């Protein structure tokens, strides 16, 4: 009952935020809707061609990142695990930027981002980080720094005309989203979420340890790689289309855990809803705080997420008598 109540509350909050974001500064459209008059053509075109695909993309991206974050935290048994903190974002960003510089299209960039995310995660695992939660975070940060340096080197070699576009994209933004990308994210989010949700029993068993999960009848190596691949795919899709939008995969699952406990079934229901709401709300703030100028949405999520991460890190410190 508690899960249903919270889910309904989140759905209402999410719907209200979506409406507010869509109709932000659309005074003529609001007036015509209130008076049941025909909608102004320009306002309606702005809504359908720019704001609606942007809204769908931000909601889908938030849900994908939160689903990936919840899966990673359960897989590594560490609430600090998140695609951006264990190198997946950086690997996907480097591969995406390289694909963009070579003139790849939408699907080519998405495929490159997926491959880059997987390669970064493999590098983290080669360091043995999957065996220890603290080493996971440290190894992920080291890999992210290395890949970030390579990305900076690549950016310095880009032509001047591409430099601003790539730099703004790397900070994370839904500003340039068009219908093809919005539809790609919208269509990809449900099957990826469903595939991760079907692993909830395995993810719960992992909380007892890999040996316990094996004795409970799970194919640990095969299923953990399914989880990791799905998380990398979700992250790669978002990074390839919208840039590096950090900390949603950290904040949303942890907020869900505070509200509902550690059951992965509940986390994989409430977490994506919270992730979608965080992404839409952050994008709304990015458009409105310095209007008519616009902030990259990655700046907003970092401003929220960095203190949140430090708070979590503080809570993870061992207590000494």
């Amino acid at each position: 009952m508690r899960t249903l109540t919270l889910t309904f509350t989140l759905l209402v909050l999410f719907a209200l935020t979506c409406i507010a974001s869509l109709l932000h500064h659309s005074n003529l459209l609001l007036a015509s809707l209130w008076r049941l008059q025909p909608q102004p053509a320009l306002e309606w075109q702005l809504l359908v061609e720019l704001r609606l695909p942007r809204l769908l993309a931000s909601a889908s991206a938030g849900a994908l990142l939160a689903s990936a974050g919840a899966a990673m935290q359960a897989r590594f048994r560490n609430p600090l695990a998140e695609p951006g903190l264990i190198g997946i974002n950086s690997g996907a960003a480097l591969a995406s930027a390289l694909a963009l510089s070579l003139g790849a299209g939408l699907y080519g960039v998405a495929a490159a981002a997926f491959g880059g995310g997987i390669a970064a995660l493999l590098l983290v695992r080669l360091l043995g980080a999957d065996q220890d939660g603290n080493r996971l975070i440290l190894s992920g940060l080291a890999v992210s720094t290395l890949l970030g340096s390579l990305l900076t080197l690549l950016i310095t070699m880009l032509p001047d005309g591409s430099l601003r576009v790539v730099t703004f994209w790397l900070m994370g933004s839904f500003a340039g989203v068009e219908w093809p990308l919005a539809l790609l994210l919208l269509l990809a989010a449900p099957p990826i979420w469903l595939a991760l949700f079907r692993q909830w029993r395995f993810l719960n068993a992992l909380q007892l340890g890999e040996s316990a999960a094996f004795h409970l009848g799970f194919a640990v190596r095969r299923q953990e790689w399914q989880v990791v691949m799905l998380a990398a795919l979700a992250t790669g899709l978002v990074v390839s289309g919208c840039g590096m939008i950090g900390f949603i995969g950290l904040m949303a699952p942890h907020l869900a855990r505070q509200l509902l406990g550690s059951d992965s079934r509940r986390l994989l229901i409430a977490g994506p809803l919270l992730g979608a709401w965080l992404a839409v709300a952050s994008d709304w703030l990015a458009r409105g705080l310095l209007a008519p100028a616009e902030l990259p949405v990655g700046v907003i999520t970092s401003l929220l997420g960095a203190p949140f991460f430090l708070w979590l890190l503080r809570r993870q410190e061992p207590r000494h008598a």
Side-chain angles (χ1 to χ4, degrees):
M1 187 64 183
R2 183 182 176 187
T3 304
L4 289 176
T5 302
L6 178 62
T7 302
F8 178 76
T9 303
L10 290 175
L11 283 172
V12 172
L13 179 62
F14 174 63
L16 292 175
T17 306
C18 287
I19 293 172
S21 178
L22 271 178
L23 300 179
H24 182 69
H25 284 171
S26 298
N27 298 328
L28 292 177
L29 184 59
L30 285 170
S32 63
L33 289 172
W34 178 257
R35 297 171 185 170
L36 300 178
Q37 295 176 346
Q39 287 80 26
L42 183 60
E43 292 273 341
W44 184 253
Q45 185 178 10
L46 174 68
L47 184 73
V48 173
E49 297 297 330
L50 295 179
R51 291 193 176 180
L52 186 56
R54 181 171 181 161
L55 174 69
L56 294 175
S58 60
S60 301
L64 285 167
L65 291 173
S67 299
M72 288 290 94
Q73 289 173 16
R75 159 63 190 91
F76 291 105
R77 301 189 296 279
N78 190 328
L80 299 178
E82 190 258 350
L85 294 175
I86 59 175
I88 296 179
N89 274 6
S90 297
L94 176 60
S96 296
L98 182 60
L100 283 172
S101 67
L102 295 175
L106 174 61
Y107 298 106
V109 174
F114 172 62
I118 287 291
L121 190 58
L122 280 172
L123 183 56
V124 172
R125 290 192 59 154
L126 285 175
L127 298 174
D130 61 323
Q131 300 174 10
D132 182 85
N134 293 327
R135 287 189 65 189
L136 166 71
I137 301 301
L138 293 174
S139 300
L141 291 174
V143 169
S144 295
T145 302
L146 171 63
L147 296 177
S149 300
L150 295 175
L151 182 58
T152 301
L153 178 62
L154 175 63
I155 289 175
T156 59
M157 300 169 63
L158 290 175
D160 291 341
S162 305
L163 183 59
R164 185 179 183 277
V165 174
V166 173
T167 302
F168 193 79
W169 169 78
L170 288 174
M171 289 187 288
S173 176
F174 300 114
V177 169
E178 297 179 350
W179 275 110
L181 175 59
L183 290 175
L184 174 63
L185 294 175
L186 183 64
L187 293 175
I192 291 176
W193 170 82
L194 182 60
L196 285 171
F197 182 76
R198 292 180 62 184
Q199 299 284 352
W200 70 267
R201 291 183 178 86
F202 170 63
L203 294 174
N204 278 347
L206 278 180
Q207 305 313 300
L208 303 174
E210 293 186 7
S211 178
F214 174 78
H215 288 293
L216 287 171
F218 294 100
V220 174
R221 292 304 173 191
R222 177 174 60 82
Q223 290 184 253
E224 73 171 5
W225 269 107
Q226 289 175 356
V227 169
V228 166
M229 294 283 281
L230 288 166
L233 177 59
T235 305
L237 282 171
V238 175
V239 172
S240 65
C242 310
M244 297 180 69
I245 301 172
F247 293 106
I248 288 180
L250 174 72
M251 292 187 290
H254 190 77
L255 290 173
R257 186 176 294 107
Q258 294 299 305
L259 294 170
L260 294 173
S262 299
D263 184 358
S264 293
R265 178 174 53 176
R266 296 178 178 179
L267 291 181
L268 286 168
I269 293 174
L273 275 175
L274 280 165
W277 174 73
L278 281 170
V280 171
S282 297
D283 186 50
W284 183 22
L285 287 174
R287 287 192 289 118
L289 283 179
L290 297 179
E294 179 173 325
L295 289 170
V297 70
V299 172
I300 301 296
T301 60
S302 295
L303 287 173
L304 295 173
F308 190 88
F309 172 71
L310 292 174
W311 173 69
L312 278 181
L313 192 62
R314 176 68 176 173
R315 291 189 62 187
Q316 295 300 306
E317 291 181 357
R319 304 287 182 179
H320 298 286

